[in-house]
Each structure stands twice: as structure tokens, then as C-alpha cells.
Amino acid sequence: MDEVLKRQDSGELKRRLHGRDLVGFGVGIIIGTGIFTLAGVEAKSHAGPSVTLSFVLGAVVAGMAALCYAELASSVPTAGSAYTYAFATLGETFAWIIGWDLLLEFALGAAVVSRGWSGYLANLMGLSPDWFGEDAKVNIGAVAIIAVLTVIAVLGIKESARVTNLLVLVKVAVCVLILAVGVFYIRGENLTPFIPPAQAPAETASTLHQPIVQAALGLEQSVYGIAGMVTAAAVVFFAYTGFEALANLGEETVNPKRDLRVGILGALGVCALLYIGVSLVLTGMVPFAEIDAGAPLADAFDRVGQHWVGALISLGAVTGLTSVMMVELVTIGRIGFAMGRDGLLPKKFGTAHPRWGTPHRMTVAGAVLIAALAAFVPISELADMVSIGALSAMIIVAVAVPVLRKRRPDLERPFTVPFSPYLPIAAALACFYLMLNLDVMTWLRFAAWLLLGLLIYVFYGRRHSRFAKDEVSSTDLPS
């Protein structure tokens, strides 16, 4: 894959990151929406106390995918993440699909988080709902935070890392506070039964809003039970996908062979423990049917008279969601940089700033799209799109591991997935099963996005590709 690794003649990213920086970035993007919002929402709507098991299931699947990412990231330390891996193993068409998919995942994720950030800030500081939060016609708060973070992301990757690491320290401290105080308010009756029996939803939804596996098998709609726990796992899964962003920083890592696997697996392990612990505390403090979907953790501590903890949680949510947006902006820039460098997007997106060494044009372009979505579009109904995008990307990565091993068994692999090809196959199947538990409408929107991407590829990307119609062959891989 010499051609894949040497696409940097239009500008090279600076190597300034170490393993601790990558762990900070990973925790920065993983700890956010999942811990401050989704744990309560999914406990109330789908899983009950078993949302803890949903986070366990999500962690197991993410862990298998992370092992695949770690092998490919240490072997192919270049910008683009799953996009680059697909290019090296499955060819240009698959690479375009996954790159387009990743742009959707991170752009939509940043837009969702920026609107949530705006609402938390309004709560914390008593700001006008006309300009902040979901009821605002134009969400100025969301646009403002995206603008500020874009400037930081463009100025330099080390500056982004410093800001992210500072925010990570604050929100990890808040998570530890939640566990340390909340454990004394857990009531056993709130956790019994741990997996509530399945029941019909309070309001019957249309088939379009039914999990596709239920719709395909003609099953009656239900919530809770084992099926509800798995559905919740599919929804909260995207909250684990921060490690995916780390694979985009291979070109900016001082020692990618060591630091990438430390960053990916270290960040995932820390965050899995925090998610599981906080979701157990939350459902133990409040009966799941009474959880407040807007601010579940703050409300839980208000109920037990610990208002000061609730205020600190709101502060932690603001800082936590800020770091998520920071990392997502950085990631979008690196994916678009790799695609522009290959000619699949306009070449100007594949150049780094001569002074700051960052993909400034793609970062700004991505920020404009995110700000437009965050300002005008109530996108809570599109949150599942983030999960389906992440899961589909991980399927590609899992498949790429055994394919690349077969095509280039002599390729240096500082980190290898154990039990290959069985573990990568299991990871791909597990991701696909979680995808089947997302609703029909999510699949239709995902299909529409992919169709739009294929049209762009056919009429622009394929014609302007650096490699024309030739896919990377096995002889292009490095010795």
C-alpha cells in the first residue's frame, strides 16, 4: 500500500501526538451524549434498569471492532481511518461509500451534540429559549459553539488536544462524583426486575418506526424485555464510537505503532467502565418510568435533595459535550482530507495549511454544514443515523482485517487481532445484528444518503480520482 501511504505530496500533517493525547481525544468524544442523556432516555423508553446491560453489550461489540481498528491503524497509520483501510483492501468504490458514510456520522453527531450543548447552557445560565435549546427557531447557541471550536481545530492539532484534554479532566471528575455520591442513594426496588418484562408500547408507532427485525418478521411492537435491551444497545452504541476518530490521527502520531493501540483500547476501556457505572447508579436512584428524559442525571440528584450535584452535572454536560464536538470536527477534517487527496472530493480539501499543518478547508466546510443543521433542523429524530453510520463503518473495518491478511501476509503488523478471522467475522455479524434493531425509517434515510453519495461518486469522484478507475492492487502494499 505504498500508494495509499504516500498520498501526502499535497501537504503533510505534523506528528505531534502521543498515546496520552489519543486517550484524551478518545475519552473526549466517547463521554458525552451517551452518559448525560441517552442512558436515561433508553432506560425509560426501551430497557429499564437493563440499560446497563445495553452498555455492556455495546462495549463488547465496540471492543471487538476496536481490536480490528487497532490492527489496521498500527499497520496503516494514515489519515482517513476506515476510508483508507477500505481503499487498501476492498478498492475505491467501497472506500468512497465508507468515507461518505463517515462524513454523515460525524457531521450529524456534531450537530446533535451542539443542539444538546445549547440546551444545557441555557439551563445552567438561564438563557433565552428563543436563541438556545430545541425550541429556538434559529439555535444561535449551537452555531456559536461550532464557530469557536472550528477556529481551535484549524489553528492546530496540538492546540485541539490541549483544549480537549482539559475538558476531559472536568467531565471525568463529574462522572466520578456521580458514582461516589449516587451509590449511597441506590434503592434495590428500583433495580427489580432488572430486565422488565416485554410489553406493548404506550403508543403504537407506525411500521416505519419499528425495529427492522420486528417489521421483517411481522412481530408485534414491544418495549423492554431482551428485545428492548438490544434495541437500546443499538441506539447507545454510537456513544462508544469515539475510538474510531483516533484512527484518523495516525499521520499526526509520533509513534503510531504503539500509541494508536494504546489510545484506542485505553479510551474504550475507561469509558466503558464509566458508562456502566453511571447507568447503574441512575436506574438505582430513580424508577425507570419516572426518569426525566431531558436531564436525567441532574434530575435524579435533585430528587434526593443533592441540588449542588445536579448543578455540577450540568456544568459537566456542557464541558463534556464541548469536547465531543471538538473531536468530531477534527475527525471530519481528516476524513475529507484523505478523500480530497485521492481526488474523490475536490483537491483543495486534500491540502494542509502551510503554517498550522491542519486540513483547514475541509474542517471549515464541515463546520458550515454542521452549523446549518444545528441552527435550523430539529434533528433528534435522526440520532439513530449516527449509530447506523458507525456500525456500517465497523463492518467494513472488520471485513478488511482478514482480507488484508490474505492479500499481504508479509505486512508488518505491530498489533494483531487475536483469533482472526473468527473474531473479525464475529464483530461484523454483531454490528449487523445491532443495525437490524434500528427502525425502518433509519434504514430508509441511510439508503437515501448512500444513493446520493453513489451519484456524486459516479459523476465526479470516479472521474477525478487520483487512481482513475484503477483500484489499489495487492502489489501497491508496502513491504
Side-chain angles (χ1 to χ4, degrees):
M1 191 170 34
D2 285 337
E3 282 298 316
V4 176
L5 293 174
K6 294 180 180 179
R7 300 174 194 172
Q8 303 176 29
D9 55 349
S10 57
E12 187 169 337
L13 302 176
K14 296 180 180 179
R15 295 187 181 276
R16 302 175 65 187
L17 299 178
H18 297 276
R20 62 180 178 275
D21 297 315
L22 297 181
V23 173
F25 264 110
V27 176
I29 193 172
I30 295 173
I31 298 297
T33 306
I35 208 163
F36 292 113
T37 304
L38 285 183
V41 170
E42 290 306 306
K44 184 173 185 177
S45 60
H46 287 121
S50 69
V51 71
T52 301
L53 298 180
S54 301
F55 279 110
V56 172
L57 177 59
V60 171
V61 177
M64 292 191 293
L67 291 173
C68 298
Y69 261 100
E71 175 171 328
L72 293 178
S74 62
S75 304
V76 192
T78 185
S81 180
Y83 162 76
T84 300
Y85 310 150
F87 214 129
T89 56
L90 303 174
E92 183 179 277
T93 302
F94 276 99
W96 166 264
I97 291 173
I98 204 63
W100 184 248
D101 184 13
L102 288 171
L103 290 176
L104 167 71
E105 173 190 341
F106 287 104
L108 185 60
V112 170
V113 174
S114 67
R115 291 181 70 90
W117 181 93
S118 180
Y120 271 111
L121 187 68
N123 254 341
L124 188 63
M125 303 183 67
L127 301 175
S128 171
D130 293 334
W131 303 105
F132 295 83
E134 277 300 294
D135 295 331
K137 292 183 178 179
V138 180
N139 198 321
I140 297 299
V143 174
I145 187 60
I146 291 297
V148 171
L149 295 180
T150 300
V151 172
I152 298 173
V154 168
L155 286 179
I157 187 64
K158 196 64 179 179
E159 288 71 19
S160 301
R162 290 192 185 106
V163 172
T164 300
N165 289 341
L166 177 61
L167 297 173
V168 165
L169 289 176
V170 174
K171 68 179 176 182
V172 169
V174 170
C175 291
V176 173
L177 176 66
I178 292 170
L179 296 175
V181 178
V183 69
F184 294 103
Y185 295 93
I186 293 176
R187 300 173 60 184
E189 58 265 30
N190 292 336
L191 298 174
T192 306
F194 196 69
I195 302 179
Q199 63 184 56
E203 296 181 7
T204 303
S206 69
T207 303
L208 292 177
H209 295 286
Q210 186 177 9
I212 195 168
V213 66
Q214 291 185 13
L217 297 177
L219 301 177
E220 293 184 5
Q221 296 182 31
S222 65
V223 292
Y224 308 124
I226 297 296
M229 184 271 291
V230 176
T231 296
V235 175
V236 303
F237 180 81
F238 88 87
Y240 277 116
T241 57
F243 71 83
E244 184 181 7
L246 301 182
N248 289 281
L249 302 177
E251 284 185 33
E252 295 160 274
T253 302
V254 174
N255 183 4
K257 293 181 179 180
R258 180 185 67 87
D259 292 340
L260 278 173
R261 65 175 181 266
V262 168
I264 290 173
L265 298 177
L268 183 63
V270 169
C271 295
L273 291 175
L274 290 175
Y275 272 139
I276 292 167
V278 170
S279 60
L280 184 62
V281 166
L282 172 63
T283 52
M285 291 178 67
V286 183
F288 69 86
E290 300 176 14
I291 290 176
D292 177 67
L297 287 168
D299 178 73
F301 282 93
D302 286 341
R303 284 171 175 260
V304 296
Q306 298 294 331
H307 302 289
W308 66 277
V309 179
L312 287 177
I313 289 172
S314 295
L315 177 62
V318 170
T319 58
L321 298 179
T322 301
S323 64
V324 172
M325 289 180 283
M326 181 80 260
V327 180
E328 285 179 328
L329 279 167
V330 168
T331 303
I332 288 171
R334 275 62 186 172
I335 295 171
F337 174 84
M339 296 176 75
R341 195 165 56 185
D342 293 336
L344 298 180
L345 290 176
K347 285 287 187 181
K348 62 182 180 180
F349 291 134
T351 57
H353 193 279
R355 177 181 175 185
W356 300 319
T358 58
H360 56 298
R361 291 190 177 96
M362 186 62 210
T363 302
V364 171
V368 170
L369 173 61
I370 294 167
L373 289 170
F376 300 107
V377 183
I379 53 177
S380 57
E381 69 272 14
L382 297 178
D384 288 0
M385 289 286 287
V386 185
S387 281
I388 200 169
L391 288 164
S392 62
M394 290 180 190
I395 289 174
I396 296 291
V397 170
V399 171
V401 168
V403 170
L404 188 56
R405 283 199 186 185
K406 183 175 182 180
R407 293 179 64 180
R408 279 304 305 268
D410 58 327
L411 182 65
E412 181 184 0
R413 293 172 172 83
F415 177 84
T416 56
V417 178
F419 309 114
S420 183
Y422 305 108
L423 191 147
I425 291 172
L429 292 175
C431 289
F432 183 66
Y433 177 69
L434 289 183
M435 289 175 68
L436 293 178
N437 284 274
L438 296 171
D439 65 35
V440 176
M441 181 59 74
T442 299
W443 278 81
L444 293 177
R445 289 168 176 158
F446 184 58
W449 175 259
L450 289 182
L451 177 60
L452 175 61
L454 286 174
L455 291 174
I456 294 174
Y457 173 69
V458 169
F459 292 105
Y460 179 87
R462 187 173 61 177
R463 297 180 181 183
H464 294 82
S465 169
R466 179 171 179 170
F467 304 107
K469 297 181 181 179
D470 297 327
E471 297 180 344
V472 178
S473 66
S474 59
T475 58
D476 291 325
L477 296 174
S479 57

